[in-house]
Amino acid sequence: MARPAARNLPKPADMFDRDWEWSELTAFATSVGAGPRLGVVSGRRRQGKSFLLQGLAEATGGFYYAAVEASAAESLQLFGDALARYTGSAVPHRPANWQEGLELVFDLASDRPVPVVIDEFPYLVRNAPALPSQLQAAIGVRGGRHLERHPRILLCGSAMSFMGNLLSGTSPLYGRAGLDLVVHSLGYREAAEFWGIRDHRLAVLTHAIVGGTPAYRREFVNDDVPEGPDDFDDWVCRTVLNPARPIYGEAPFLLAAEPDLRDRSLYHSVLAAVAAGNHSSGGIASAVGRKATDISMPLTVLKNCGLLTIEPDAFRKNRATYRIAEPLIAFHHAVVRPESALLSRRRGADQVWERSQNTFLSQVVGPHFEQLCRAWVEWHAEPATFGGMPIQVAAGVVSDPAARTSHEVDVVVHGAVDQDQGILLSVGEAKWNRVMNLSHLERLQRILRLLSARGIDTSRAKPACYSGVGFAPELRAAADRGEVVLVDLERLYQGT
């Protein structure tokens, strides 16, 4: 019954993409059945959560309230004022506590299911820590007046560590939510469309800085989009290297806005170490001058905040790789932060950018391109490309004892073939700024021999080369013979 109602609720005309998120939200908001329902919406800042929820409230006639940082008393007052505006009451509501506030919310839905959105919910809990328990008690009653009121309560927040724990096993709201929606960044293809960038190389360069965060195009750079490849350098200088633009200070703000980050200097140092290419806990600890045990907590906190990701090594299950989740943070720590003293004086952006080119290509674009290649396999490659359905896509390291070295593999694909899962389907290498040739294929073939010698079934594994500038004729000839899979920028953005 709920799904037909959701399908009949059109998405706002000014909302880009987000079809799946809109469908899930409208299905929840229009669900039939007596009694209250609880949903949680989370995601990193600037992804458009509030825009989605405001659109939902407008489309359904629901109540939307955005909390602010305020004392407990002022928060109740502001909440009551918002309720009065929504109901058209001439006399502002003055709940004495949140039990009364929740009663007023439930009364909004006495006749029909009404979406009730409480945005920035962590702000309220900061000064009213019992609020989740009070909400649990309010929605937990299973009889009487409870069945006569039908609010569809949506709690939203950007403090990822808090929101991640809101429905955990130790939370009062555990098991109470019928929706747990995480709003992610736009995919790289969708981001290029959103920015209106048709040149694939320019799309990668831009995405390596601003990622798929929708807000970074609008208010943060005032709709300033690079006009073409020749305009990219100037665009960088007039936006992300320009202290007069909001995007310049956005990366430090993302850390400052997380309440669980205490020693911010240490967290900045950890992120700088990862941006510089240190992806293991030992390497990060060495770069910041601490013991590995000293940074275990910062790494965990940064992961819980959604600022770091932890990816397992494709071949060494006891090893993990840390990567920065938000491209703008990686760019900030690799390029902006080391030059902040000069940039803050509002001059020298051209010189800073000129001498940062090697750093930008090696520490920002190169690793980002590798990540886009893995995303292509995961989201866009057809099963026929690698002879099976990709299930796990990661990077990995393969030791080469005879040569006393090891080989980094940028794109490792495990997948399903018929009823068998976990089959090695491909090992791949990604090069952003280099024409790839037969030497790259030979390296991948050696890696497959090393894996086979370790007892790994490589019979179905295909070598794959991913390049930002193309392939030598002899490598294309090998692809024509079926010896290697080639993925260029056109295939990355348009092909399967």
Side-chain angles (χ1 to χ4, degrees), residues 16 186 188-200 202-203 206 217-218 223-228:
F16 177 82
L186 298 173
Y188 69 92
R189 287 185 174 183
E190 292 75 18
E193 182 182 353
F194 183 70
W195 279 75
I197 298 176
R198 297 182 178 181
D199 183 279
H200 301 324
L202 177 61
T206 306
R217 175 180 175 178
R218 301 299 187 198
D223 268 334
D224 186 349
V225 178
E227 297 179 359

Side-chain angles (χ1 to χ4, degrees), residues 119 144 228 236 242 307 384 427:
D119 204 351
V236 170
N242 181 1
L307 301 179
V427 293

